[in-house]
Every structure is written in structure tokens, then in C-alpha cells.
Amino acid sequence: MKSLKWPLFNLHFWSCFLDLSISILVQPFICSSAVYLAGFSIGLLHNLGVSNEAICYIGVFLINGRPRIKNNHTENVEAVAVAIVSIFENRYFLIAARRTWWRYARIPVLTANYIVALIYFIPTLMNVPEQTIARKMTFEVKEQGRNKQIYFLDVS
């Protein structure tokens, strides 16, 4: 089990940081509509003046999954996915792949997983809709929260 110590610590660190960021730092308030995924932060980062774009990027990087709307709440299916994949990769390597080609490919593959986790959401952040138009379309669907500073994403 000594070989699993660091991957388990990695998973524990990222999952604890995810829990702390959702419960204290971000505290997202999701406003689901028929048009956009929208919401705002009521957490510590918002009170410290961090921009909505940065808060959204931090949340998606930690969760590492596309938010899916189901029953008026979001489901994050792939929470802390890279750390979980690294645990399974570690077990696979120690059980079956020590003397195969995988011993050369494992570090580049895990590095690529972390790089993809860092950059895969950037195109979505570059394609954020015009906030006034998105706000108007959302409030035509739902007439609540007009005075809040809501940040809209187009996840379609």
C-alpha cells in the first residue's frame, strides 16, 4: 500500500479543496433556465472581489466535469476526475503493467490529463454570451433575482 500513498493523498487533497471551495469560497447559487446555465457566487471569493470568470474557472477546474441540469439542480458526474484516474492507473500499473510499454507512457498520460483539466474549459470562457442579452432572456423565463449580479455561461 506504500505505492498508493501519494495518489490517495492527491485525491484527498483535491476532494477536500473542492469541498471547501464549494461550501466556503464559492457558494454557488444556480439559476437554471431554458436558455443558459446561470448563477452567482455568494461565497468568500465574491466578497473579496474576485471576478465571476475566475470563480467559474476555479469551480470547473476542481469539479472537472460539465455541469448538467437535472431536476432543477446541477449534477457533476466527473468530480475530481484526474485524481481518481491516477489511483486506478496506479493500481493497474502495479498489478498488470510493470513490465510493459505502459511504464514509459504513464507519466506523459497523467501529465496530459492534468493539462487537459487545466485548459479544456478555456474555450467556453472565451465564448461567454453578452450578459445583458442573456439576463433578459433568462428573466423572460424566470422573474426572480433581477437585482443580483448573475454570470451566464452557454454550455450547449
Side-chain angles (χ1 to χ4, degrees):
M1 289 308 266
K2 186 176 181 181
S3 63
L4 193 59
K5 185 189 318 181
W6 287 110
L8 277 175
F9 176 74
N10 184 28
L11 176 63
H12 179 70
F13 171 79
W14 286 114
S15 63
C16 286
F17 191 59
L18 172 67
D19 293 341
L20 289 174
S21 68
I22 288 177
S23 63
I24 296 172
L25 297 177
V26 176
Q27 290 182 355
F29 184 83
I30 305 297
C31 304
S32 61
S33 69
V35 183
Y36 295 108
L37 175 64
F40 56 92
S41 171
I42 55 176
L44 186 62
L45 289 179
H46 175 72
N47 293 333
L48 293 175
V50 178
S51 70
N52 286 328
E53 292 88 357
I55 291 172
C56 184
Y57 181 77
I58 290 169
V60 170
F61 169 68
L62 289 174
I63 294 168
N64 195 13
R66 179 179 171 168
R68 299 173 186 158
I69 305 296
K70 184 176 182 179
N71 299 332
N72 291 329
H73 68 280
T74 58
E75 277 186 351
N76 298 307
V77 179
E78 301 175 43
V80 196
V82 177
I84 294 171
V85 166
S86 68
I87 286 181
F88 281 107
E89 187 280 329
N90 181 279
R91 295 288 88 196
Y92 167 73
F93 176 73
L94 290 175
I95 293 172
R98 276 191 185 171
R99 293 178 183 88
T100 64
W101 63 272
W102 183 249
R103 69 179 167 174
Y104 302 111
R106 68 187 297 233
I107 301 300
V109 167
L110 289 174
T111 305
N113 280 343
Y114 279 105
I115 291 171
V116 167
L118 280 171
I119 65 173
Y120 88 99
F121 194 64
I122 291 175
T124 304
L125 284 178
M126 297 295 185
N127 195 21
V128 172
E130 178 60 39
Q131 298 295 296
T132 55
I133 297 170
R135 186 174 289 120
K136 181 180 176 185
M137 291 174 71
T138 300
F139 291 136
E140 286 175 358
V141 176
K142 291 189 175 189
E143 287 292 324
Q144 61 186 10
R146 281 195 181 269
N147 56 355
K148 294 289 184 181
Q149 181 183 359
I150 298 178
Y151 185 70
F152 295 91
L153 280 177
D154 185 7
V155 292
S156 59

